[in-house]
Amino acid sequence: MGRFLSNATNRIDAKGRVSVPAAFRAVLVQRGIQELYCLQDFVYPAVNIGGPDLLERYERKMAAEDPFALEANEMSLLLHGGGVFARLDAEGRLAVTDFIRDFTGISSEVCFVGRSDHFQVWQPQAFHEAQARAREVVRQRGLRT
């Protein structure tokens, strides 16, 4: 346990909130995470969500760079300009804000995707298409489970 695994799709309610899957909430509780860091993914149309340690991991990498270097500047642009903090409400729901909707294309449903130490929110069809492409790439490379 202690990892975000699998995927689940939930509907957004009339107030713009979505229930985070119980298994994901259990991991958050187990890890003592109350404040969530939400970061626009660097590759996919998804938002990465984890605890403050997710931000800290990226900031450590950024701190290893020359602060005046282009790489550090670009990383800050993505990490800080493409990130926000959030909290779940008392019922374990996440507000699906414009920050999430605009970047992901989410409208009425949210696909939660486990990524081990964090999870992502996706527009469901986009997730299924990206997963199929990844499966095909792995198949073509000859990798097997």
Side-chain angles (χ1 to χ4, degrees):
M1 189 81 168
R3 291 182 180 86
F4 296 101
L5 300 174
S6 196
N7 66 83
T9 300
N10 291 336
R11 293 196 59 74
I12 298 171
D13 70 16
K15 293 184 178 180
R17 303 166 302 189
V18 63
S19 292
V20 174
F24 287 14
R25 291 193 316 266
V27 174
L28 292 171
V29 168
Q30 181 183 12
R31 291 181 167 198
I33 298 171
Q34 295 180 356
E35 186 172 47
L36 302 172
Y37 172 63
C38 306
L39 170 68
Q40 296 167 335
D41 192 77
F42 302 149
V43 176
Y44 297 111
V47 172
N48 299 309
I49 302 176
D53 60 311
L54 181 62
L55 173 60
E56 291 164 7
R57 177 174 28 148
Y58 287 116
E59 285 182 329
R60 279 191 304 275
K61 181 165 176 48
M62 193 173 70
E65 299 288 333
D66 174 354
F68 299 104
L70 178 61
E71 293 81 12
N73 195 348
E74 288 172 336
M75 185 64 87
S76 177
L77 187 66
L78 296 172
L79 291 179
H80 304 116
V84 297
F85 284 106
R87 287 186 176 270
L88 301 184
D89 69 11
E91 285 77 40
R93 295 173 298 203
L94 175 70
V96 184
T97 62
D98 289 342
F99 174 84
I100 293 172
R101 289 178 190 269
D102 293 346
F103 190 76
T104 63
I106 287 171
S107 58
S108 61
E109 292 183 316
V110 175
C111 185
F112 292 87
V113 178
R115 298 299 297 257
S116 187
D117 66 341
H118 65 283
F119 62 93
Q120 294 177 314
V121 292
W122 288 71
Q123 188 278 336
Q125 187 63 34
F127 166 68
H128 294 297
E129 290 170 4
Q131 190 179 45
R133 282 191 305 274
R135 185 173 286 112
E136 182 59 21
V137 167
V138 168
R139 187 192 66 74
Q140 288 178 2
R141 288 182 186 154
L143 301 177
R144 302 280 186 249
T145 55

